[in-house]
Amino acid sequence: MRVDVRGLGACNRLAERGATRAAGALSDLTGTDLAVEVTGASVATGADLAEAFSGRESIGVSVGLREGLEGEAVLAFDAAHADALLSLLPGGQSVARSAVTEVGNIALGGFLDGWANYLGRAVDMTPPRYFEADGAAVLPDGALAGDGVFLFESRLDATTTDLDFSIYMLPDSGPFRDLVVGETATAATPGAETAGDARGGDASTTVPYDSLSTFASLAKRGSANAADNIATMTGLETAVDVSRLRFVPLADVPAAVGTEPHAGTVFELRGGAQRLPRDPLRGGVGGDDRGGDAAERTGRAARRDGGERPLRAGQRDDERVHRRLGERARHLDHPLAAGVRPRHRRVGDQPARRGAERAPGLRVRDRRRDLHRGGAGAV
Amino acid sequence: MATRVLIADDSEFMRNLLREILDGEFEVVGEAENGVEAVNMYQEHGPDLVMMDIVMPIRDGIEATTEIVEQHPEATVIMCTSVGQEEKMKAAIRAGAEGYITKPFQKPNVLDAIGSAV
């Protein structure tokens, strides 16, 4: 089974658009501005998800999906914020459960509209179901089963209150699998708006599904080794919370990392990439909804310049992200501000070698923060 | 004489909200929690207008609308739903709905939709 990373990117953009609609609906309903902070797709095992979501108490509303898209979608928020939400809903306090259920119904309805319109088919929703859950039980049914699933996640944050929501969608099968997963995976053309435009991928945009799971396992194992080394060197007790391989548009990485100050070490690995397909992870898996697919966009720029496409694609976007991280760090008046800067080679410094692009960068961070609120994972 | 309205929505919160919006200018003759109740209450009350949710248990709003309009071609139904999918809108119109408003809505949206339909 192979995964078409461009198809996955197109689906990620759909999820982001859906989340934007959901945020608009929730804003109208509650009178509080909400914005989509991060939308991404995770590849994770049930055990990893259970670990990542442990310790949380959530309230959720789920709907089953039928016909055009099969699976389940969930709107969830921190149980501690239930009163804050109800206070924003006229008459909500007296029919709390019904009010929250309707909030989920409206938000998820908005989220799914874009998918249905893209697929050109109706997506039937089952009536919404209210539930309270601990840990990863908030996730759609099936997310915790099996060796690995694609889980779309969007985080919607209120701009003036602590209220925030997460949307999770776990597609089962049907047109989604046709787009993203299959023996001969098709590719979604960047920016395509209709299903008919979403065909015509080639082998260079697909990767074996097993390799994604392997990347996740390697990241986890490597982080455990790093943690052991740090513990040995410093005597500090360390923990590893890398538990998911998560695809996030590069432009969303600063939001995914969050506003907490971070100190870290960033390094780049070279070599060993020849067995990888054509640099699928660097060129903007998930893409950039505000400017089209990153790989395609930067690829066009590179061809104009006569340069090597994948390297430039990664450089350009990474520089932008590093600049944003640096700006954020400066905003926080944090020592990191002085150190964050693009450390990639300048365009043209790298000799062109076809078929031997760099491996995706591995970043090791000490991230003592809540993954549920947007851990970047390995990008 | 005030326009008589039947509300069909599985959400008590939304039924309350609609009732509040309609109160004073319209007469709410009943509240149904699913499509089967909506059909039965339509037979019972013969309202001038039905505000019909789409996603409901037992029988959804499109099926209920189809049945009501088949039995009462003069019926006026406005879909009032969280689903804004084009295909669903087309299905609602095919079922016989006169109008379509998406949640969340404000009072003017509801009054405009009713004004256009009746």
Side-chain angles (χ1 to χ4, degrees):
Chain A
M1 186 166 69
R2 299 181 71 83
V3 175
D4 188 323
V5 291
R6 291 172 69 192
L8 186 60
C11 289
N12 204 53
R13 286 192 291 278
L14 279 177
E16 182 166 14
R17 288 175 194 156
T20 302
R21 281 179 181 238
L26 287 173
S27 297
D28 290 344
L29 192 63
T30 62
T32 298
D33 285 341
L34 285 127
V36 180
E37 284 297 313
V38 185
T39 296
S42 293
V43 180
T45 65
D48 289 340
L49 288 171
E51 183 184 333
F53 284 81
S54 65
R56 295 187 57 83
E57 290 181 19
S58 303
I59 290 175
V61 177
S62 69
V63 297
L65 313 178
R66 304 286 181 268
E67 299 297 328
L69 192 64
E70 295 187 11
E72 188 178 6
V74 171
L75 177 84
F77 61 96
D78 194 321
H81 294 157
D83 286 340
L85 172 62
L86 291 172
S87 71
L88 298 171
L89 302 171
Q93 300 280 7
S94 60
V95 287
R97 184 172 292 216
S98 174
V100 170
T101 305
E102 191 60 18
V103 166
N105 183 42
I106 290 172
L108 294 172
F111 178 77
L112 293 167
D113 285 350
W115 288 81
N117 293 340
Y118 174 85
L119 294 168
R121 299 171 61 181
V123 176
D124 280 344
M125 282 169 51
T126 62
R129 180 178 66 88
Y130 172 98
F131 64 95
E132 296 170 10
D134 292 334
V138 72
L139 295 174
D141 289 342
L144 303 180
D147 293 333
V149 295
F150 279 113
L151 178 71
F152 287 92
E153 304 173 63
S154 295
R155 197 181 81 222
L156 284 52
D157 285 358
T159 53
T160 55
T161 72
D162 287 339
L163 192 60
D164 53 24
F165 300 88
S166 292
I167 293 176
Y168 305 106
M169 187 178 74
L170 186 71
D172 276 348
S173 58
F176 174 81
R177 280 191 183 271
D178 290 344
L179 272 175
V180 177
V181 179
E183 290 299 329
T184 54
T186 54
T189 302
E193 293 295 334
T194 65
D197 294 336
R199 301 290 183 257
D202 57 60
S204 69
T205 62
T206 67
V207 293
Y209 180 83
D210 289 348
S211 71
L212 297 178
S213 301
T214 303
F215 287 156
S217 299
L218 288 174
K220 193 171 188 176
R221 219 182 309 158
S223 299
N225 289 339
D228 287 345
N229 289 341
I230 290 170
T232 302
M233 290 166 64
T234 65
L236 292 173
E237 189 176 333
T238 60
V240 177
D241 63 2
V242 174
S243 51
R244 283 184 284 169
L245 178 63
R246 190 170 182 206
F247 297 93
V248 176
L250 283 168
D252 285 353
V253 169
V257 171
T259 56
E260 299 91 342
H262 288 68
T265 303
V266 179
F267 56 92
E268 182 176 304
L269 306 177
R270 299 181 194 178
Q274 58 271 23
R275 284 178 296 171
L276 292 174
R278 188 179 179 80
D279 203 11
L281 301 179
R282 285 211 63 78
V285 175
D288 180 352
D289 194 40
R290 283 145 289 201
D293 182 272
E296 184 65 20
R297 187 177 66 254
T298 49
R300 280 196 296 271
R303 281 191 291 275
R304 278 200 304 273
D305 297 337
E308 180 72 1
R309 187 175 81 157
L311 179 61
R312 287 178 166 225
Q315 276 187 326
R316 191 160 301 189
D317 280 332
D318 279 2
E319 286 177 3
R320 181 160 56 91
V321 170
H322 276 271
R323 191 164 56 247
R324 288 181 62 174
L325 284 169
E327 286 166 357
R328 170 154 289 173
R330 277 192 291 278
H331 175 68
L332 294 169
D333 193 23
H334 188 268
L336 183 62
V340 175
R341 63 184 186 279
R343 345 131 260 96
H344 290 290
R345 295 170 299 277
R346 307 292 298 179
V347 174
D349 289 349
Q350 172 76 3
R353 289 186 298 137
R354 291 184 66 82
E357 290 83 19
R358 296 176 305 160
L362 174 64
R363 294 171 186 178
V364 179
R365 297 178 193 281
D366 178 14
R367 296 187 305 122
R368 292 187 175 87
R369 57 191 304 274
D370 187 353
L371 272 178
H372 180 70
R373 289 182 56 84
V379 178
Chain B
M1 187 173 161
T3 301
R4 303 168 70 249
V5 181
L6 171 65
I7 298 172
D9 197 309
D10 59 327
S11 164
E12 183 183 9
F13 170 73
M14 195 50 66
R15 294 197 305 273
N16 291 347
L17 197 61
L18 266 175
R19 183 183 276 277
E20 204 169 286
I21 287 173
L22 300 174
D23 199 31
E25 298 179 55
F26 302 91
E27 180 190 353
V28 177
V29 296
E31 296 180 13
E33 295 183 22
N34 59 61
V36 171
E37 280 189 13
V39 173
N40 292 338
M41 292 180 86
Y42 190 93
Q43 312 272 28
E44 183 182 347
H45 298 289
D48 302 310
L49 174 73
V50 184
M51 301 294 290
M52 183 82 80
D53 187 18
I54 287 185
V55 180
M56 290 192 291
I58 305 178
R59 185 175 300 172
D60 71 28
I62 291 178
E63 290 173 341
T65 299
T66 302
E67 189 168 340
I68 288 172
V69 172
E70 275 177 4
Q71 294 177 9
H72 306 275
E74 77 284 2
T76 302
V77 179
I78 294 176
M79 290 299 182
C80 181
T81 178
S82 63
V83 180
Q85 304 169 20
E86 290 168 20
E87 293 300 317
K88 285 291 180 187
M89 291 182 183
K90 290 176 186 170
I93 298 301
R94 282 197 298 270
E98 294 284 336
Y100 196 107
I101 56 174
T102 53
K103 304 172 185 174
F105 44 68
Q106 301 294 324
K107 184 172 182 176
N109 307 129
V110 177
L111 299 184
D112 284 352
I114 292 176
S116 301
V118 296

